[in-house]
Amino acid sequence: GTLSGIAPKAYLGVYRVFRLTASGARTDVIFAAIEDAIKDGMDILNLSLGIDSAPRDMAAQYSEVFRRANEAGILV
């Protein structure tokens, strides 16, 4: 038979948020990528950004954009 992988018909959307330097990703760029994923109709959003923990003010900002994603039916 033919090997097809674990999710042979999956569509992956890739949203680049990091620059080519080691300066990290800006919050506004991350939020824009999440908004693009919402507009593109993604089903699942996985953020692997390498952040140990976000300051409380950033956590509130992230919770708002994650809420919008959840309302659009995206599992975050």
Side-chain angles (χ1 to χ4, degrees), residues 4 23-25 27 41-42 44-45 54 64 69 71 74:
S4 61
S23 63
T27 304
M42 294 293 126
I44 298 172
L45 180 63
E64 173 60 25
E71 287 176 351
I74 298 174

Side-chain angles (χ1 to χ4, degrees), residues 23-74:
S23 63
R26 293 187 354 221
T27 304
D28 62 323
V29 175
I30 295 169
F31 290 169
I34 294 170
E35 294 294 340
D36 287 345
I38 293 169
K39 289 177 195 167
D40 292 343
M42 294 293 126
D43 295 317
I44 298 172
L45 180 63
N46 175 34
L47 279 78
S48 298
L49 302 173
I51 300 171
D52 290 332
S53 62
R56 287 199 180 274
D57 61 329
M58 284 182 62
Q61 293 174 349
Y62 275 91
S63 68
E64 173 60 25
V65 74
F66 290 162
R67 182 189 60 75
R68 286 199 303 276
N70 284 146
E71 287 176 351
I74 298 174

